[in-house]
Amino acid sequence: MQDWHTIPNARDHVKWYNDKGRMKLNFFLSVIFVGMLLNGYDGSLISGLQAFDSWHEDLGNPDGVGIGLLNASGAISGFVVGPIITYIDETFGRKWGIRFYGYTILIGSVIGCIAGVSGANGYALFITGRVIIGFGLASFLMTSLVVVQEITHPRSRSTVAQSWNSYYILGLVISSWVIFGTSFRTDSWGWRIPYILQVPLALYVLIAVQFVPETPRWLISKGRDDEAFAFLVEYHGAGDEQDQLVRFEFAEMKEAIRREHEAKAERWGMLLKSPANRHRLSLAALMTFLTVMSGSSIIYYYYTVVFDLVGITDPTTQTGINAGLNIFTWFCQIAAVWAGKYVGRKKILLWTWPTLLLCLVGLCVAGGVFSNAGEENAQAGVATVVLVWLYLGFFNFTNPVLYSYPAEVQTFTMRSKGLLVWNTVTQLETAYVVFVDAVALNAIGYKYYIVYMPLVIIQWILVWRFMVETKGYTLEEVALAFDGPNASLANVAFLPEAEQPGYEDVTKKSDAATTL
């Protein structure tokens, strides 16, 4: 089998600043990444706003159950919208989920900022805004994961896709520093300023996404082969229609999608008949199990409570620690993206996951020491801060794999459906943990860390037993990792057409079609 990495391409001799198509493609990707940055910015707002007394007062001083429901509301609405976005993405194009995201952030942010206005029910308004934003967050996650995988140049696809979540962390960094900067205000604008700053970013995404083209795989699936080929020529081949890698990509995509359509592989019934496809869907669910149910939700959603448990209660101190922590985790993700060029996805998870267990044990011990010392043990507070940084550092080192893998392992016709499974499980688990975390931390405090310890052990075993290594494959060739190199074309739809007899005849037909 020919190694696609060695196929000549325009990038071998054209500098990036001379390749207009490459520059445009980077702009398209930047729109996705700004949207992800906004996602991260919003994702840390609720945990940060809990440090403001004015926010609690404007919302009517909600208890642990109320705050848990507030955090869970976005996940519940995200669960509801998943099937709708899957249908829209497959039928009308990949950009609609991103457009919808922009609208929901705009509307939800404005409604949330009205909370606390005289005569208004602050909690009802704020949770309504969170529900609306939750619709958009799920839509963006499902759509952007697909777009990043499908438009990126094959030689940089893995790196770009794995860097996707680093922009979420960058959003956390910006959010945490904005909150830190406004934490000195004691009035309602202390929390309203960080919240309303989402609006300009949402407006940018809403406008900029209009310039992003549809993905070539979606275009081929709709019979728009000429447009798909033109996309690859301009953005992957520097305008050269004879570029060998572009021709290879086009033939590979076209053949894979043709075989999937012939097999009616886009239907749920046909998908679930295949053991390999069931394996793919299960892996999408496994990745979200690792992401959501490993204890990270305690720190991300309730870091103020985590610090309260060991005597760190000053709002400025809490928000300052969190701001520094987010910068640290961003560097951890960038390091992980670099490591992903040399280390397989499975190895990264297997090597890193045991450290999460050790950190959870340490957090539980530190909390116990502080509690049993009559709340006078400063060393326990310092140990907790260090362990929180270590935990999130190692956890974020795995995030590039956890978020890129679910879309990477799916076939084209499965990709939206695979991410529907990923989103459904994610939203259900998130709604559960953020609600239960709030109640449990209030009830049993530091002992709650123990609940996640056996889950982390189970997750490591599942990764070791079932995860499939995909490093080094194109999206179409990932099937070989599931079906094996000896599988026949009848079973694997992704053997490159460029390697088959008659390929030159196919490309001649493509040339003719492009000329018309």
Side-chain angles (χ1 to χ4, degrees):
M1 177 177 173
Q2 184 181 5
D3 183 1
W4 66 270
H5 296 83
T6 63
I7 299 176
N9 178 242
R11 290 197 176 187
D12 298 334
H13 54 82
V14 179
K15 298 293 185 181
W16 65 267
Y17 48 81
N18 290 327
D19 187 347
K20 293 182 179 179
R22 187 174 181 179
M23 297 289 283
K24 289 180 181 178
L25 182 60
N26 289 339
F27 165 71
F28 302 150
L29 289 169
S30 75
V31 176
I32 303 297
F33 293 147
V34 170
M36 196 59 187
L37 183 148
L38 177 56
N39 196 336
Y41 183 93
D42 176 84
S44 68
L45 278 178
I46 304 302
S47 60
L49 296 185
Q50 290 178 55
F52 290 85
D53 292 336
S54 59
W55 180 80
H56 287 276
E57 293 169 3
D58 287 341
L59 269 63
N61 293 306
D63 58 10
V65 174
I67 292 177
L69 182 60
L70 194 67
N71 278 320
S73 60
I76 295 170
S77 57
F79 166 76
V80 172
V81 80
I84 301 172
I85 292 301
T86 296
Y87 174 78
I88 291 174
D89 281 354
E90 291 183 342
T91 307
F92 301 107
R94 308 299 204 192
K95 296 191 296 183
W96 284 99
I98 301 174
R99 289 191 181 107
F100 182 61
Y101 169 65
Y103 285 120
T104 58
I105 293 289
L106 283 173
I107 297 170
S109 297
V110 172
I111 291 176
C113 280
I114 300 174
V117 173
S118 180
N121 186 323
Y123 184 83
L125 282 169
F126 201 84
I127 199 171
T128 299
R130 296 311 302 172
V131 169
I132 294 172
I133 290 174
F135 285 128
L137 292 178
S139 303
F140 176 80
L141 290 175
M142 293 175 64
T143 304
S144 63
L145 276 169
V146 172
V147 173
V148 167
Q149 291 280 1
E150 293 188 355
I151 71 172
T152 308
H153 192 284
R155 290 187 181 171
S156 57
R157 179 190 63 80
S158 177
T159 300
V160 171
Q162 289 194 33
S163 70
W164 175 84
N165 193 61
S166 69
Y167 293 91
Y168 181 93
I169 302 301
L170 195 57
L172 296 183
V173 171
I174 296 172
S175 174
S176 58
W177 281 105
V178 170
I179 290 173
F180 175 70
T182 62
S183 65
F184 298 95
R185 297 189 63 121
T186 57
D187 60 358
S188 295
W189 285 105
W191 70 264
R192 282 190 182 134
I193 290 173
Y195 209 71
I196 202 66
L197 285 179
Q198 296 183 107
V199 170
L201 285 175
L203 280 171
Y204 171 79
V205 171
L206 197 54
I207 295 170
V209 73
Q210 311 305 321
F211 300 97
V212 179
E214 289 296 346
T215 75
R217 291 171 176 84
W218 184 85
L219 291 170
I220 291 173
S221 73
K222 299 301 178 183
R224 296 158 62 177
D225 293 7
D226 292 351
E227 294 177 58
F229 185 69
F231 177 101
L232 296 172
V233 168
E234 181 174 2
Y235 303 121
H236 291 188
D240 182 7
E241 294 187 358
Q242 304 305 317
D243 187 275
Q244 294 184 47
L245 185 58
V246 165
R247 289 181 157 314
F248 175 87
E249 282 190 272
F250 181 67
E252 188 178 52
M253 292 177 191
K254 192 172 179 180
E255 177 67 4
I257 294 171
R258 180 185 69 80
R259 290 182 180 276
E260 289 185 37
H261 282 327
E262 286 180 353
K264 295 181 171 54
E266 67 274 9
R267 297 180 182 178
W268 278 108
M270 296 300 295
L271 288 178
L272 297 176
K273 285 183 179 179
S274 166
N277 289 343
R278 292 196 299 270
H279 191 182
R280 290 182 174 96
L281 295 176
S282 298
L283 287 173
L286 175 60
M287 291 302 105
T288 190
F289 178 44
L290 270 66
T291 305
V292 180
M293 302 291 288
S294 56
S296 61
S297 58
I298 298 177
I299 302 172
Y300 275 128
Y301 287 93
Y302 304 107
Y303 77 85
T304 57
V305 179
V306 170
F307 293 144
D308 285 343
L309 290 173
V310 289
I312 302 173
T313 58
D314 178 62
T316 301
T317 302
Q318 290 182 343
T319 55
I321 292 172
N322 189 54
L325 174 61
N326 286 328
I327 293 176
F328 171 68
T329 56
W330 183 75
F331 279 110
C332 290
Q333 288 221 12
I334 297 302
V337 172
W338 176 83
K341 296 180 180 180
Y342 309 100
V343 183
R345 282 77 157 138
K346 187 172 182 178
K347 285 184 178 179
I348 287 177
L349 294 185
L350 290 177
W351 291 352
T352 307
W353 221 245
T355 63
L356 303 187
L357 177 62
L358 295 176
C359 290
L360 287 173
V361 172
L363 285 168
C364 186
V365 171
V369 168
F370 182 83
S371 177
N372 294 324
E375 303 186 355
E376 295 294 336
N377 194 314
Q379 288 79 11
V382 173
T384 295
V385 172
V386 172
L387 287 165
V388 164
W389 279 55
L390 288 174
Y391 177 93
L392 285 187
F394 286 118
F395 178 74
N396 277 274
F397 192 82
T398 65
N399 276 192
V401 174
L402 295 177
Y403 284 102
S404 65
Y405 193 79
E408 183 179 58
V409 298
Q410 312 301 325
T411 66
F412 170 78
T413 53
M414 286 185 66
R415 196 156 290 126
S416 289
K417 292 181 175 65
L419 288 177
L420 172 60
V421 171
W422 174 82
N423 177 71
T424 300
V425 177
T426 296
Q427 304 302 342
L428 286 174
E429 289 179 346
T430 301
Y432 171 79
V433 298
V434 297
F435 180 76
V436 172
D437 284 355
V439 176
L441 286 169
N442 187 53
I444 60 176
Y446 70 89
K447 297 175 184 176
Y448 185 52
Y449 294 119
I450 298 173
V451 173
Y452 286 101
M453 295 177 192
L455 293 180
V456 170
I457 296 172
I458 293 171
Q459 290 161 356
W460 187 92
I461 294 172
L462 291 175
V463 168
W464 170 73
R465 179 65 181 84
F466 296 107
M467 189 173 176
V468 176
E469 185 56 66
T470 57
K471 183 179 180 295
Y473 292 104
T474 67
L475 280 181
E476 279 65 39
E477 292 170 352
V478 165
L480 298 175
F482 284 85
D483 296 272
N486 297 320
S488 67
L489 284 173
N491 295 323
V492 178
F494 301 107
L495 289 177
E497 188 176 11
E499 299 174 24
Q500 303 173 32
Y503 168 63
E504 292 184 0
D505 295 335
V506 175
T507 54
K508 288 178 181 178
K509 292 179 182 178
S510 298
D511 290 342
T514 306
T515 305
L516 292 177

